[in-house]
Amino acid sequence: MKKYQNLINLIDKRDTFLLTSHVSPDGDSIGSLLGLKYLLEPYAKEIDIILADPVPEYLRFLNGTDDIHLYEELDFKMNKKDYDLYFTLDCGTLERIGEVQQLISADEKIINIDHHGDNNEYGVYNYVDSTVSATGELIYNLAIELGSNYQVDFGMAITTAIITDTGNFKYSNTSSETHRIIADMLELGVDTQKIIKQVYGTESYSSLRLKGEALNNLQIAAQQQIAWISINQETLDHLGATWEDTEGLVNYPRSLKDVEVGILFKEVGFNKTRVSFRSNTYFPVDEFAHEFGGGGHSRAAGCTIQLPLIEAEELVIDKLESKF
Ligand SMILES: [Mn+2]
């Protein structure tokens, strides 16, 4: 039996679909959402993509992003809609979709498609596979099972999902299957160079200056096995930068020689610090993030701590140091 047979039966019988993904959407969320939308179009009367946070600037080059709705800008009519199925992509827990939770009329209509190892299977159907590099790979697998006649726009979306979640094929989640999918995408005519240029090679002046400022304040602990960077609103204001400009910053502490865990602390509000963890070879950052109510993957995870930056930093680094 096909892996997605139950879902395929269901989408054949249903007409209206809401697609969503996590807060602070990334390339995998946006790419997977657009990819799934193309797949469902032949089966649906209506498909809406709704997110709690806007599509980041660096992903707006993808066709279809203009049609993605922002929760807080929905009109009354859309707020009251009852969809036949709700697809949540790239979310380990339902809470990850943020305010969009308020649009879900029944948990029994949730289709959960994700690759986080700590996914708590909150859907009626759960397609969770932590061995794939990106949720985009799962959407691709669905396309194959559907026998979909997918086109370049689908390919651009899926390739963006994979390129961003593998850090341009650098991370250990990149498999032979990942490359097989990309080979198919190249044959389809996907312009991978355009994606790479858009995602990794178009820095704004403020974002480059933010990198400089952040690197200037790089800190280390545990004989350089831990390295971190911290950013607050003041720094952003001073440089004319935005939180969006912090995307990918965590890879700098991670890239330091001898580092096992790289961390980015962001003071995003009053008594509210977001923490991103990356590890290089063995340290399970998802388990560590769990200790603070967060989660993720073994090499990439995060949490939010209800403390000011300095205190959050001290709490996390002390706890982490004790493990080295
Ligand atoms: Mn992902």
Side-chain angles (χ1 to χ4, degrees):
M1 191 170 121
K2 289 177 177 175
K3 183 178 158 193
Y4 293 96
Q5 194 58 57
N6 289 332
L7 177 59
I8 292 169
N9 295 343
L10 204 54
I11 58 181
D12 247 343
K13 288 182 271 179
R14 303 286 186 267
D15 294 322
T16 61
F17 307 129
L18 171 73
L19 279 50
T20 191
S21 186
H22 51 80
V23 293
S24 304
D26 57 17
D28 191 22
S29 5
I30 302 300
S32 297
L33 285 167
L34 293 173
L36 180 60
K37 188 181 181 201
Y38 293 125
L39 295 188
L40 293 176
E41 267 164 359
Y43 301 87
K45 283 210 183 93
E46 212 172 336
I47 308 172
D48 289 322
I49 303 180
I50 302 174
L51 290 172
D53 290 326
V55 178
E57 192 59 45
Y58 73 96
L59 294 168
R60 299 244 173 94
F61 71 96
L62 285 169
N63 287 337
T65 49
D66 288 345
D67 297 326
I68 296 179
H69 303 278
L70 190 57
Y71 175 80
E72 61 184 29
E73 288 172 2
L74 293 181
D75 58 28
F76 182 75
K77 214 176 108 212
M78 279 192 77
N79 247 311
K80 287 283 165 212
K81 262 195 218 172
D82 182 17
Y83 296 85
D84 294 334
L85 290 176
Y86 297 85
F87 289 84
T88 60
L89 308 186
D90 205 38
C91 296
T93 62
L94 189 57
E95 289 69 44
R96 292 280 292 143
I97 68 175
E99 293 168 310
V100 179
Q101 279 179 91
Q102 295 169 39
L103 298 179
I104 296 185
S105 63
D107 287 356
E108 300 75 50
K109 295 180 176 181
I110 297 175
I111 311 295
N112 165 14
I113 306 179
D114 182 40
H115 69 132
H116 290 84
D118 55 0
N119 189 295
N120 63 9
E121 310 222 321
Y122 51 83
V124 61
Y125 289 126
N126 300 284
Y127 298 97
V128 179
D129 182 351
S130 62
T131 68
V132 299
S133 70
T135 299
E137 282 199 30
L138 301 175
I139 303 299
Y140 175 85
N141 294 338
L142 175 62
I144 298 297
E145 286 200 8
L146 276 169
S148 168
N149 176 32
Y150 49 81
Q151 304 295 317
V152 173
D153 278 342
F154 170 85
M156 287 291 284
I158 296 304
T159 305
T160 300
I162 291 173
I163 282 178
T164 52
D165 257 26
T166 60
N168 210 3
F169 311 108
K170 281 198 301 276
Y171 306 149
S172 57
N173 58 6
T174 309
S175 69
S176 53
E177 182 55 20
T178 311
H179 285 295
R180 268 184 213 107
I181 295 171
I182 296 299
D184 185 20
M185 297 291 107
L186 285 167
E187 282 166 7
L188 190 66
V190 166
D191 186 351
T192 52
Q193 293 311 302
K194 179 178 175 183
I195 297 170
I196 291 164
K197 174 75 184 152
Q198 291 289 334
V199 172
Y200 296 107
T202 46
E203 296 259 20
S204 67
Y205 180 62
S206 56
S207 109
L208 263 192
R209 293 223 308 158
L210 178 66
K211 282 205 169 73
E213 178 79 19
L215 290 175
N216 224 359
N217 295 305
L218 177 71
Q219 299 185 71
I220 54 166
Q223 292 83 46
Q224 212 166 299
Q225 294 174 93
I226 304 167
W228 71 97
I229 276 172
S230 301
I231 307 278
N232 60 17
Q233 188 65 52
E234 226 182 329
T235 309
L236 296 184
D237 293 346
H238 168 68
L239 297 170
T242 64
W243 288 117
E244 224 175 76
D245 293 324
T246 64
E247 178 73 28
L249 254 189
V250 67
N251 292 309
Y252 288 89
R254 175 203 233 173
S255 68
L256 182 67
K257 184 179 175 292
D258 299 328
V259 157
E260 175 56 22
V261 181
I263 312 169
L264 171 66
F265 293 92
K266 300 191 286 187
E267 192 173 49
V268 292
F270 178 70
N271 279 354
K272 193 173 177 186
T273 303
R274 272 207 193 118
V275 195
S276 305
F277 301 98
R278 297 290 183 274
S279 65
N280 278 319
T281 52
Y282 69 90
F283 191 88
V285 284
D286 50 350
E287 285 173 29
F288 187 68
H290 264 292
E291 296 187 27
F292 302 95
H297 305 285
S298 56
R299 300 286 162 265
C303 64
T304 301
I305 298 177
Q306 307 299 332
L307 284 174
L309 179 65
I310 306 293
E311 287 169 46
E313 226 182 86
E314 203 177 286
L315 179 74
V316 168
I317 298 301
D318 279 357
K319 204 163 203 171
L320 187 57
E321 255 192 307
S322 71
K323 301 189 189 282
F324 281 84

